[in-house]
Amino acid sequence: MKTRIGILTGGGDCPGLNTVIRAVVKSATKRGWESLGILGGFEGLLQPTRSRVLDYHEMDGLLFLGGTILGTSNRGAFSGKSGHGETRQIDPAVLAAARAGVESLGLRALIVVGGDGSLTIAQQCFEAGIPVVGVPKTIDNDIAGTVITFGFDSAVSFATEALDRLRTTAQSHERVMVCEMMGRYAGWIAAHAGIAGGADVILIPELPFKMESVCRVVTDREAQGKRFTLVVVAEGAREAGRDFITLGDSGAIREARLGGIGAAVAEEIGKRTGKETRVCVLGHLQRGGAPTTFDRLLCTRFGAAAVRLVAEEKYGCMVAHRPPSTEPILLTEAIGHLRTVPPDGDIIRTARDLGIGFGD
Ligand code: F6P
């Protein structure tokens, strides 16, 4: 019987998932192995009908196709996070059922492509006896141990283009434009896109802000004859002494949905400065569509490296980007401690040198 490996995509989708699937299937096929796609995330392990063989020829066109052909989920019995990112222990009976699923499908190993939540579940699956290899996915770029996660470059690229567009309309109407970006509790997307897109103010979770300080940038620019201002707000940014702004409920089995801080900041700027202010929330546009060239290459390297780890029987590991190479690290080194933007690191220093305000 042919060696068979499984692959699943977990958590929120992100550009490049299909690129990883393609790389895994092509590398596995080259070794004479069969690849089974688990459908709908970890839940697919619990139902024998929720998987299918991935054909080599089906990989044509996946290199740049957004989303995931396997489907994904970040809720249900396998939700690995709750509240503001607290780790949840999956019910041992569910983990045992997942292991039985892996065995009944005849999988030598399971490749899990996911963010911190899915990799946390992957580690719990590994501890329950499933041979697992992880691939770090998230537009948020908040996974420890890897220099970058795939999806981040695509999200930053889209967000930068959005800022270019907001700049011309802000300039025409002499307005303040506030742009809210994703990133959860890390300000990577906002910081990178904000600098690349020429923002005047960038608000990130790592640096709680004060409204007086944000408004001062607007009025100082006005005094210099610059009659428009671009403000980037990460969804996890918060005013000093205040809590995160969330949409709807979080709860014991679901992570809080962040959002709304952009509108709150815009309203306050309008009130305090008298400037006409508008808000634009980029939302899921940052997660859809094709991966950038950088992400295509990264995903292809990650997928091939994950299959190499299965060949070497290195389980409980995640592939990490550590230029110039892709290396395995333990899943336990990656999960549970979000990688956030260092407040005194080069990115923030660069922005400050250019006169970009952080509202701190
Ligand atoms: O983790 C990726 C991410 O896009 C975050 O930036 C965002 O907070 C969250 O997922 C949104 O999740 P959902 O698609 O469940 O609303």
Side-chain angles (χ1 to χ4, degrees):
M1 214 178 106
K2 263 190 180 180
T3 295
R4 199 183 226 200
I5 61 168
I7 176 166
L8 68 78
T9 51
D13 74 338
C14 136
L17 284 166
N18 285 325
T19 320
V20 175
I21 295 168
R22 172 183 177 270
V24 165
V25 173
K26 289 192 105 167
S27 308
T29 307
K30 184 130 188 299
R31 290 171 191 271
W33 300 352
E34 185 173 71
S35 306
L36 199 73
I38 311 297
L39 308 180
F42 287 93
E43 300 279 337
L45 292 174
L46 305 181
Q47 303 159 45
T49 53
R50 299 281 287 152
S51 59
R52 67 178 177 86
V53 172
L54 297 170
D55 181 59
Y56 184 80
H57 299 288
E58 199 191 326
M59 299 301 114
D60 286 346
L62 283 200
L63 187 57
F64 43 79
L65 183 70
T68 162
I69 57 163
L70 300 178
T72 186
S73 167
N74 52 7
R75 42 172 74 211
F78 284 96
S79 165
K81 297 275 164 172
S82 62
H84 288 303
E86 289 80 47
T87 298
R88 266 191 78 231
Q89 180 60 47
I90 310 294
D91 181 345
V94 171
L95 290 171
R99 182 180 166 171
V102 166
E103 284 167 1
S104 72
L105 293 170
L107 302 181
R108 166 168 172 172
L110 178 68
I111 295 178
V112 174
V113 189
D116 188 59
S118 301
L119 296 174
T120 298
I121 301 167
Q123 172 62 20
Q124 293 182 24
C125 287
F126 176 64
E127 287 165 11
I130 301 177
V132 162
V133 169
V135 177
K137 163 241 69 163
T138 171
I139 62 165
D140 303 340
N141 199 32
D142 58 1
I143 297 180
T146 182
V147 164
I148 194 166
T149 59
F150 79 82
F152 172 64
D153 186 67
S154 304
V156 169
S157 170
F158 174 80
T160 304
E161 192 197 326
L163 288 179
D164 292 347
R165 289 168 185 262
L166 290 174
R167 166 181 298 276
T168 56
T169 170
Q171 214 158 7
S172 309
H173 289 267
E174 300 189 340
R175 282 172 171 164
V176 178
M177 277 288 176
V178 176
C179 182
E180 182 181 300
M181 298 182 183
M182 282 186 167
R184 240 192 265 265
Y185 304 103
W188 292 106
I189 300 177
H192 280 233
I195 295 171
D200 306 297
V201 178
I202 302 174
L203 305 178
I204 56 173
E206 293 83 350
L207 295 167
F209 65 89
K210 296 184 200 75
M211 273 319 299
E212 310 87 84
S213 169
V214 174
C215 292
R216 200 171 320 118
V217 175
V218 177
T219 48
D220 284 355
R221 281 176 61 79
E222 204 71 10
Q224 293 162 18
K226 294 183 176 175
R227 303 192 46 84
F228 75 98
T229 301
L230 271 184
V231 180
V232 167
V233 185
E235 62 180 5
R238 54 179 165 160
E239 236 183 304
R242 298 220 173 162
D243 206 352
F244 301 106
I245 298 192
T246 56
L247 301 165
D249 294 339
S250 57
I253 57 158
R254 216 101 218 226
E255 203 169 353
R257 283 179 62 211
L258 297 172
I261 184 71
V265 166
E267 193 184 332
E268 209 50 38
I269 292 176
K271 264 197 225 148
R272 294 189 188 207
T273 66
K275 287 286 293 179
E276 206 173 21
T277 306
R278 296 286 187 271
V279 63
C280 170
V281 180
L282 297 186
H284 291 80
L285 291 170
Q286 293 157 102
R287 282 205 342 219
T292 55
T293 308
F294 178 89
D295 271 335
R296 284 189 208 186
L297 184 59
L298 185 64
C299 291
T300 304
R301 292 177 73 179
F302 276 166
V307 174
R308 279 201 299 273
L309 288 187
V310 175
E312 292 162 15
E313 300 190 356
K314 277 203 182 126
Y315 302 129
C317 287
M318 178 191 92
V319 294
H321 188 52
R322 298 195 166 175
S325 64
T326 306
E327 292 170 15
I329 63 167
L330 290 176
L331 275 169
T332 48
E333 285 177 58
I335 58 175
H337 23 259
L338 289 188
R339 200 171 69 93
T340 52
V341 182
D344 48 4
D346 192 61
I347 278 290
I348 303 294
R349 278 215 317 267
T350 302
R352 290 200 199 275
D353 284 346
L354 291 182
I356 298 173
F358 286 90
D360 54 342

